Amino acid sequence: MADHNHEQGEAEALEPEIIYIPDEDGNEEEFEVIMKFEVDGSDHKYMMVVPVEGGEEDTDEVYAFRYEEDGDELKLYTIDDEEEWNMVEETFNTLLEEMEGSES
């Protein structure tokens, strides 16, 4: 019985974190958070999200946002600065490689 509860707890931990981001028309779109991280030498937090799509479109789009948590409220900011974007992309790719390396 204890093993069953342990497995159930692990399954709950693997449930994706879903956030809703309004599009330009104000319609909320559903996104799954695939990674959150901080960049060395910066006090900013970043998250990478992918669209949760019900359609048949096969997209590999990943979006990056800088974010702040204010209590229960999540504030997202687009990354417009090319230097900041390059830093976030490099960190994301490094973390992804480390994750893939630890799985094999």
Side-chain angles (χ1 to χ4, degrees):
M1 190 73 148
D3 288 339
H4 175 58
N5 289 339
H6 180 69
E7 288 173 16
Q8 186 177 8
E10 282 181 17
E12 288 172 11
L14 296 176
E15 281 191 26
E17 180 178 352
I18 302 296
I19 63 171
Y20 297 90
I21 303 172
D23 65 13
E24 57 273 356
D25 297 325
N27 302 314
E28 289 199 338
E29 294 188 31
E30 199 174 10
F31 290 83
E32 178 182 340
V33 177
I34 58 170
M35 185 181 295
K36 290 182 178 178
F37 59 90
E38 295 180 33
V39 175
D40 291 339
S42 168
D43 58 351
H44 296 299
K45 297 179 185 176
Y46 298 93
M47 72 169 54
M48 307 301 278
V49 300
V50 293
V52 175
E53 299 192 56
E56 294 297 313
E57 296 177 37
D58 185 20
T59 61
D60 290 335
E61 290 185 71
V62 177
Y63 299 94
F65 293 96
R66 185 173 63 247
Y67 75 96
E68 295 174 2
E69 292 173 303
D70 186 11
D72 288 341
E73 192 175 322
L74 183 66
K75 296 180 181 180
L76 299 178
Y77 303 93
T78 56
I79 301 169
D80 297 322
D81 180 69
E82 188 175 341
E83 187 176 318
E84 182 180 16
W85 174 257
N86 291 338
M87 182 177 61
V88 168
E89 187 177 36
E90 183 179 323
T91 302
F92 173 68
N93 289 333
T94 300
L95 291 171
L96 205 55
E97 287 172 13
E98 288 175 2
M99 286 173 55
E100 289 172 352
S102 67
E103 289 177 1
S104 35

